[in-house]
Amino acid sequence: PEEKKPELPLFYGWFLLKEEEERIKCATMDFLKTLDTLEAFKEHISEFTSEANKEVDLEQYFQNPLPLHCTTKFCDYGKAEGAKEYAELQVVKEATGKSEELSVTALIVTPRTFGARVALTETQLNLWPEGEDKVGVAPTLLPGVESLPAGSRAHVTLGCSAGVEAVQTGLDLLEILVLQKEGKEGTQVEMDMGTLSYLSEGRWYLALREAITADTTFSSFSE
Ligand code: 2AM
């Protein structure tokens, strides 16, 4: 028999409208430009580059091949656990093609990833799969993650450093949120966009003074 085409997508998520994508890219790039000139950042530059005294151009450091989106469910064409069940949910079918406004409340930068934290509304949480925050989380981080509210992992990957996969952004965000909860925040710097804090090992968190909203469409994505 002929091989059947995969019926399930690579993933589902909210995709930023084209003009919104440009606006968010500009705003977040401005933040990167400022970040790599800060003394506080320069003090920890060795976490981003092995070469001593070397400067890092963060705009070049992070690359992003996919359209900007906030993943709800990674299906891996049906190979991921719960993919089929998710695709068959009535809420998922009804939401497909519908507009939704996302609210970005913070930005994160680590040696691996650059991302935007998304604060999901109650309605948006209906599309967040149960237990999804924990998928692929290291055992040592699990207790911390389990104490965070559902949807804490929601984010938009803005870029990854060479050789790093996008899935890392959510894991980096969770690590930061757990460290914050444990009260492990270090240096704080006031910036125009908000309060920047350092969380060891090259992890930076910018709590935005004002949330950045973005219009999106919920849909599936396959390559
Ligand atoms: P992201 O949500 O952090 O951006 C395709 O790989 C998309 O699915 C990316 O947007 C990626 O990361 C997301 N994704 C979520 N979970 C994943 C996983 N376990 N493996 C690969 N990609 C995953």
Side-chain angles (χ1 to χ4, degrees):
E2 253 179 61
E3 206 180 313
K4 253 179 107 189
K5 274 202 176 161
E7 291 149 45
L8 292 165
L10 180 59
F11 65 93
Y12 284 88
W14 291 284
F15 289 79
L16 276 73
L17 306 189
K18 270 285 152 268
E19 60 274 23
E20 296 287 83
E21 188 166 36
E22 279 318 304
R23 188 171 56 84
I24 303 290
K25 276 185 180 170
C26 286
T28 57
M29 277 299 173
D30 280 347
F31 164 63
L32 283 191
K33 272 186 215 163
T34 312
L35 180 62
D36 60 20
T37 63
L38 293 182
E39 276 315 313
F41 182 80
K42 286 183 184 167
E43 276 172 35
H44 297 282
I45 201 87
S46 63
E47 284 141 8
F48 284 79
T49 171
S50 50
E51 289 161 66
N53 303 319
K54 215 194 144 201
E55 284 187 16
V56 171
D57 180 351
L58 291 176
E59 284 175 275
Q60 304 283 321
Y61 186 87
F62 295 115
Q63 298 296 323
N64 182 20
L66 289 180
L68 292 189
H69 65 275
C70 173
T71 307
T72 54
K73 176 69 185 171
F74 179 67
C75 293
D76 201 10
Y77 304 110
K79 279 178 266 164
E81 203 184 314
K84 189 163 178 280
E85 291 76 6
Y86 184 81
E88 285 169 357
L89 288 176
Q90 198 57 33
V91 277
V92 170
K93 289 182 184 166
E94 278 168 12
T96 301
K98 295 251 167 73
S99 312
E100 201 58 55
E101 188 185 77
L102 290 188
S103 176
V104 169
T105 55
L107 300 179
I108 65 156
V109 172
T110 78
R112 298 163 298 280
T113 63
F114 176 34
R117 182 184 187 187
V118 174
L120 299 177
T121 63
E122 284 300 319
T123 317
Q124 290 164 356
L125 273 170
N126 291 329
L127 290 165
W128 193 256
E130 169 139 31
E132 199 63 17
D133 290 317
K134 296 188 281 184
V135 176
V137 168
T140 48
L141 193 66
L142 255 188
V145 170
E146 278 166 347
S147 74
L148 298 172
S152 292
R153 187 173 179 161
H155 67 278
V156 175
T157 295
L158 299 168
C160 294
S161 59
V164 173
E165 287 195 66
V167 63
Q168 188 62 44
T169 316
L171 300 170
D172 283 356
L173 172 59
L174 289 173
E175 228 170 57
I176 288 175
L177 297 179
V178 169
L179 287 168
Q180 282 176 340
K181 221 182 161 193
E182 291 170 352
K184 298 215 176 105
E185 251 154 334
T187 326
Q188 297 217 337
V189 183
E190 288 305 323
M191 295 178 72
D192 288 345
M193 286 175 83
T195 306
L196 178 73
S197 30
Y198 181 66
L199 293 122
S200 76
E201 295 174 31
R203 291 177 281 237
W204 296 91
Y205 183 90
L206 177 76
L208 293 172
R209 217 174 294 289
E210 268 177 70
I212 302 174
T213 56
D215 289 320
T216 68
T217 307
F218 184 77
S219 85
S220 61
F221 182 95
S222 296
E223 257 174 332

